[in-house]
Amino acid sequence: MAAIAFSDRLVAAVDQRESQLVLGLDPDPLSLWDVAASAGEGGGTPAEQTARAVLAHCRALIDAAGPACVAAKPQLACFERLGAAGAAALAGVVAAAHEAGLLVIADGKRGDVPVTAAAYAQALAGSTDTPAGSVAGLGADAFTANPLLGIDALEPLIATGAGVFVLVRTSNPGAADVQDLELAAGGLLWEQLARTVDRLGVVRASGFADVGAVFGATAPAHLERARELMPHAIFLLPGVGAQGGRVEDLAPAFAPGRAGGLVSASRSIVAAHAGNGRGPVAAARAEAERLRALAWALT
């Protein structure tokens, strides 16, 4: 039996959980919840102790906010900086997210020449197409990708069958430095990247393609044009909360249907308890539910 396409699985999950919210997992070892402190105690190297604490923190965050979300998005660099212990913690986070019924979007923004892109694809999503047989990989359902090396560097990532969210217009202030540049042939660079996303995406039964776009919630003025250029792409929308993006401004992303946009939030959820007198678990749960309700009301 053929595997169910990522976009079809996502649409089903959005409908079932009544959520378009993605829980960003960007653990800072200096700002973990108190629940993680005891997990970091005991033997092992400092990196191993920190990795245990990071895993406990992320598990607690998934338990608290996960019920209001449809996916989790671990930022790979936050785990990779801890070496082998961080890789083990990341695997534990992916398992915990899947156990909670969440899809997993690995945020690594991978992009390289085709032969290396194929290795990245195997590392993130796994593969059976290798001389040695099956490669388990991280087991992510989707991942983010950098398109600036061109279409041939994206094709091995897309060939995994996982969801691929291509950087089109990012949420950081410096995005305008490059992504808003005018091309000699006319139009902006991000618009050309959007056309590439549309060309590479195969539309599935759900009406959406497995190739989506990372499009910052901090640039809502561009959303209508982006949707025009990418009518079947799922938009991953980072930047809500700490970076200044507002859910209320994201309606154009959902024009094709509820699963057309995934609202990603991390710091605004994990730090929701700061200054409000509530514990981190209750505050994170309430903030995640607030964001979920705001996005659902737009559609």
Side-chain angles (χ1 to χ4, degrees):
M1 179 186 295
I4 301 174
F6 168 74
S7 57
D8 293 347
R9 290 192 290 128
L10 176 66
V11 169
V14 166
D15 289 343
Q16 180 183 16
R17 298 178 77 96
E18 295 189 352
S19 176
Q20 301 118 313
L21 187 63
V22 174
L23 176 62
L25 298 171
D26 311 341
D28 178 355
L30 299 179
S31 303
L32 302 178
W33 285 357
D34 290 342
V35 69
S38 60
E41 297 172 354
T45 67
E48 289 169 339
Q49 295 175 33
T50 302
R52 288 198 300 270
V54 162
L55 176 56
H57 167 87
C58 289
R59 281 176 170 161
L61 188 53
I62 289 169
D63 288 344
C69 301
V70 72
K73 182 172 70 65
Q75 168 48 253
L76 302 189
C78 293
F79 299 88
E80 291 169 346
R81 63 185 169 189
L82 298 174
L90 176 60
V93 167
V94 171
H98 281 151
E99 288 167 8
L102 301 174
L103 296 169
V104 173
I105 303 170
D107 192 3
K109 302 176 180 67
R110 301 305 195 220
D112 212 321
V113 296
V115 65
T116 309
Y120 277 136
Q122 292 165 7
L124 294 172
S127 173
T128 57
D129 186 22
T130 67
S134 179
V135 175
L138 183 61
D141 301 285
F143 44 81
T144 57
N146 187 329
L148 292 182
L149 270 75
I151 289 174
D152 63 343
L154 290 174
E155 287 173 338
L157 302 175
I158 296 168
T160 61
V164 179
F165 290 96
V166 176
L167 303 180
V168 173
R169 205 340 179 133
T170 54
S171 59
N172 57 305
D177 297 343
V178 174
Q179 296 157 24
D180 289 355
L181 291 177
E182 273 207 58
L183 302 178
L188 306 181
L189 175 58
W190 76 258
E191 292 177 317
Q192 182 59 36
L193 297 177
R195 293 186 185 94
T196 298
V197 167
D198 185 61
R199 178 152 50 107
L200 292 176
V202 176
V203 180
R204 304 296 187 177
S206 60
F208 290 100
D210 292 342
V211 180
V214 176
F215 208 93
T218 52
H222 296 314
L223 273 175
E224 286 192 18
R225 175 61 173 156
R227 183 48 79 194
E228 177 186 343
L229 293 169
M230 299 177 287
H232 302 291
I234 298 165
F235 291 3
L236 179 60
L237 302 158
V240 166
Q243 292 187 63
R246 299 181 346 122
V247 174
E248 298 91 330
D249 297 332
L250 304 179
F254 304 106
R258 292 187 186 276
L262 297 176
V263 178
S264 179
S266 53
R267 283 174 285 173
S268 59
I269 293 176
V270 72
H273 62 287
N276 70 4
R278 304 179 70 177
V281 170
R285 182 176 293 122
E287 177 62 8
E289 177 55 33
R290 185 185 75 84
L291 293 172
R292 184 209 67 80
L294 278 176
W296 199 251
L298 291 177
T299 56

